[in-house]
Amino acid sequence: MLNGEPMKIAVVAPSCTLSREAADRLLALVAERGDCEVAVHPQCFLSDGHFAGPDDARLSALREVMADSSVDAVWFARGGYGSNRIAEALVSSLPDEARSKVYLGYSDAGFLHAGLHKADLKVAWGPMPQDLMREGGRGAVTRALDWLVQGDQAALEPQLEGPPMAFNLTVLAALLGTVLEPDFSGVDLLIEDVSEHHYRIDRTMFHVTGSPNVRRAARLRLGRVGDIPSNDPDFGRDEVAIVREWCERSGIAYGGRADIGHDVLNRVVPFTR
Amino acid sequence: MLNGEPMKIAVVAPSCTLSREAADRLLALVAERGDCEVAVHPQCFLSDGHFAGPDDARLSALREVMADSSVDAVWFARGGYGSNRIAEALVSSLPDEARSKVYLGYSDAGFLHAGLHKADLKVAWGPMPQDLMREGGRGAVTRALDWLVQGDQAALEPQLEGPPMAFNLTVLAALLGTVLEPDFSGVDLLIEDVSEHHYRIDRTMFHVTGSPNVRRAARLRLGRVGDIPSNDPDFGRDEVAIVREWCERSGIAYGGRADIGHDVLNRVVPFTR
């Protein structure tokens, strides 16, 4: 509740299309809660090849909700791929109204997180509406809302030693050297990834830990790494061993794996300074 | 022929294991030619998970042939993944004998090409022994030998406007920001890739063309992009459109696609200055 008004959350899709069923489940969940309003932007259901509409449509929907002074939070509908295509244009001109909001999402949305955080906006890594379609998704989305609407600290990733950031490993790698690249100095850096072969994780860890910027992080922790495709021959070591080895080789403190039994995708990591 | 002696070519495997059959085919081809000697290092047949032996074994075999004054050329047996794990250590201490040789390979070997070229050694992108196992491989490997042994200019990638370099796109991206990153100023840059989804090619092009260093290239040309996994939904544009778009967005001259009817993997691109 803000000034007696329920929090207003706008959902837009800067990457891939939100499913109608996920949107319906979200609206039902929000109606049950009664502590916030959610507006799912029609752009979420556009489709243009891989994307939720052409770059222009995704960018203008995002700009629209960012400029709307009645919106308290902008929630990215889902990941996939595509927010990088509009991130640089987005941050090149930000409306003043954008600064009072919180931006929530994960995975591909990391391109926006990087750019918006760099522009001093409030971003957080956390569950997204499309997660309602997967197992445990209702719990995850509920936690996201508990944090957004009520500031529930139980929704946070445990053991954060600020300032924290969280990124999909592949997205983090693709940020290096671009204008969106964050400053990792002193950052408690959580990484996760999905659907990447072990050899790709190894190659990306080589890349990421070869960056002098990433080497300035306070520590690196490994979150959820899921859906690893099998490889022939077997890579010979798992993702924990891979991440630990590259941290050791590059002098980055390895903070261990986030607790077994929870899923980093399901918790909130607010980027703070 | 060098000083009346046939050229001596050492084959090592800094990434994945060479198949015995490819080695047999290579030795048979060389025996037929009679204009060179090929020594396949036993390390090529080691296996350690994904790799042709542990990092130490791959590194020491490579160092051994580089320090051997009787060796005229070092030929990387095949691609796959893994040369990045030894590249920095390799270039940190190079024997004098390494400077008089030529280094030939492509794909994953690009990590070595980058480091060795940066250290002023002679490297070239071109076919590798394992290519003998694929269709058209004998022709490709024959061209590689024609160039290595006889300096045959017909083996070269056509329309090079020096200084040229060629890289696998994913390898190029993983070099950015590392100590191995080449200087692309004024370079005629050929890129190819294999087994990457269109959305991954798009994301990697975003990354690569976001680099100020890559933006200093004279132009970027697209070679072979093969075995693209299908995507659901379809990405909506092909690799030519993707590469052209990112070149346009970043102000890099797009040099077009290398001629249809040949395969960039099958030609030689010597890195020159």
Side-chain angles (χ1 to χ4, degrees):
Chain A
M1 305 286 235
L2 301 170
N3 308 320
E5 295 287 318
M7 174 178 255
K8 185 169 171 190
I9 302 164
V11 178
V12 289
S15 310
C16 294
T17 309
L18 180 65
S19 74
R20 292 273 177 191
E21 191 176 346
D24 291 344
R25 290 185 187 187
L26 176 63
L27 295 174
L29 176 63
V30 164
E32 277 177 46
R33 295 177 62 101
D35 62 352
C36 59
E37 284 177 15
V38 166
V40 178
H41 196 289
Q43 171 271 323
C44 290
F45 307 112
L46 295 181
S47 177
D48 181 53
H50 190 91
F51 308 107
D55 290 351
D56 286 352
R58 304 198 315 285
L59 179 58
S60 70
L62 187 45
R63 280 196 166 134
E64 181 192 324
V65 298
M66 287 172 78
D68 183 341
S69 60
S70 77
V71 168
D72 304 301
V74 177
W75 204 359
F76 303 126
R78 67 174 299 180
Y81 169 70
S83 74
N84 61 320
R85 297 180 54 90
I86 59 173
E88 187 173 346
L90 181 75
V91 296
S92 69
S93 112
L94 290 169
D96 283 345
E97 293 83 355
R99 302 199 171 272
S100 56
K101 306 180 200 317
V102 181
Y103 300 83
L104 180 65
Y106 69 93
S107 190
D108 187 69
F111 291 108
L112 300 173
H113 284 51
L116 296 176
H117 179 70
K118 207 165 178 174
D120 275 329
L121 274 59
K122 290 183 280 290
V123 305
W125 170 271
M128 298 185 291
Q130 185 70 25
D131 285 325
L132 286 165
M133 302 306 291
R134 67 185 182 91
E135 202 184 326
R138 189 182 160 95
V141 169
T142 296
R143 277 197 292 279
L145 286 167
D146 289 348
W147 178 77
L148 261 186
V149 181
Q150 300 164 5
D152 181 7
Q153 300 296 299
L156 298 181
E157 171 68 24
Q159 298 170 312
L160 292 176
E161 296 176 5
M165 291 188 186
F167 282 98
N168 172 294
L169 176 62
T170 305
V171 168
L172 171 58
L175 286 165
L176 299 180
T178 72
V179 298
L180 300 167
E181 180 176 351
D183 178 359
F184 293 112
S185 306
V187 165
D188 187 14
L189 183 57
L190 267 79
I191 56 166
E192 63 97 8
D193 217 331
V194 65
S195 303
E196 299 288 343
H197 291 85
H198 278 130
Y199 84 89
R200 288 180 184 266
I201 295 172
D202 196 75
R203 186 170 57 196
T204 310
M205 282 301 302
F206 153 83
H207 182 199
V208 160
T209 60
S211 153
N213 180 14
V214 175
R215 289 182 184 184
R216 288 191 287 269
R219 64 173 184 170
L220 195 151
R221 274 201 300 160
L222 180 63
R224 178 175 179 270
V225 179
D227 294 335
I228 297 175
S230 66
N231 218 52
D232 181 25
D234 183 74
F235 189 69
R237 68 195 84 180
D238 70 7
E239 60 276 18
V240 173
I242 292 167
V243 169
R244 190 192 298 129
E245 182 190 2
W246 284 106
C247 284
E248 284 167 6
R249 286 174 72 143
S250 61
I252 299 172
Y254 174 61
R257 183 143 204 184
D259 291 350
I260 299 301
H262 87 269
D263 174 340
V264 72
L265 299 187
N266 289 340
R267 304 285 171 146
V268 175
V269 179
F271 289 25
T272 55
R273 284 169 202 285
Chain B
M1 306 286 235
L2 301 171
N3 308 320
E5 295 288 316
M7 173 178 254
K8 184 169 172 190
I9 303 165
V11 178
V12 288
S15 310
C16 295
T17 309
L18 179 66
S19 75
R20 292 272 176 188
E21 190 176 347
D24 290 345
R25 290 184 188 188
L26 177 63
L27 295 174
L29 176 62
V30 165
E32 277 178 46
R33 294 177 63 101
D35 62 353
C36 57
E37 285 176 16
V38 166
V40 178
H41 196 288
Q43 172 271 324
C44 291
F45 306 111
L46 294 181
S47 177
D48 180 53
H50 189 92
F51 307 106
D55 291 352
D56 286 352
R58 304 198 314 283
L59 180 58
S60 70
L62 187 45
R63 280 195 166 136
E64 179 192 325
V65 297
M66 288 172 77
D68 183 342
S69 60
S70 76
V71 169
D72 303 301
V74 176
W75 204 359
F76 304 127
R78 68 175 296 180
Y81 169 69
S83 74
N84 61 320
R85 297 180 54 91
I86 58 173
E88 188 174 345
L90 181 74
V91 296
S92 69
S93 111
L94 291 169
D96 283 345
E97 293 82 357
R99 303 199 170 272
S100 55
K101 305 181 201 318
V102 181
Y103 300 83
L104 179 65
Y106 70 94
S107 191
D108 186 70
F111 291 107
L112 299 173
H113 283 53
L116 296 176
H117 180 69
K118 207 165 179 175
D120 276 330
L121 273 60
K122 290 185 279 292
V123 305
W125 170 270
M128 298 185 290
Q130 184 70 25
D131 285 327
L132 286 165
M133 301 307 292
R134 68 185 183 89
E135 203 184 326
R138 190 183 159 95
V141 168
T142 295
R143 279 197 291 281
L145 286 168
D146 289 349
W147 179 76
L148 262 185
V149 181
Q150 299 165 6
D152 181 7
Q153 301 296 299
L156 298 181
E157 172 68 23
Q159 298 170 313
L160 293 176
E161 297 176 4
M165 290 188 189
F167 282 98
N168 171 295
L169 176 61
T170 305
V171 168
L172 170 58
L175 286 166
L176 298 180
T178 72
V179 297
L180 300 166
E181 180 176 352
D183 178 359
F184 293 111
S185 306
V187 165
D188 187 14
L189 183 57
L190 268 80
I191 55 166
E192 62 96 7
D193 217 333
V194 64
S195 303
E196 298 287 343
H197 291 86
H198 278 129
Y199 85 88
R200 287 180 184 266
I201 295 172
D202 196 74
R203 185 170 57 196
T204 310
M205 282 302 299
F206 153 83
H207 182 201
V208 161
T209 61
S211 153
N213 180 14
V214 175
R215 289 182 184 183
R216 288 191 287 270
R219 66 173 183 169
L220 193 150
R221 274 201 301 160
L222 180 61
R224 178 174 180 270
V225 178
D227 294 334
I228 297 176
S230 67
N231 218 50
D232 180 27
D234 184 73
F235 189 69
R237 66 195 85 180
D238 70 7
E239 61 277 16
V240 173
I242 292 168
V243 169
R244 191 193 296 125
E245 184 191 2
W246 285 106
C247 284
E248 283 166 8
R249 286 173 73 144
S250 61
I252 299 172
Y254 173 60
R257 182 143 203 183
D259 291 350
I260 300 298
H262 85 268
D263 174 339
V264 71
L265 299 189
N266 290 339
R267 304 283 172 147
V268 175
V269 179
F271 290 24
T272 54
R273 287 172 197 282

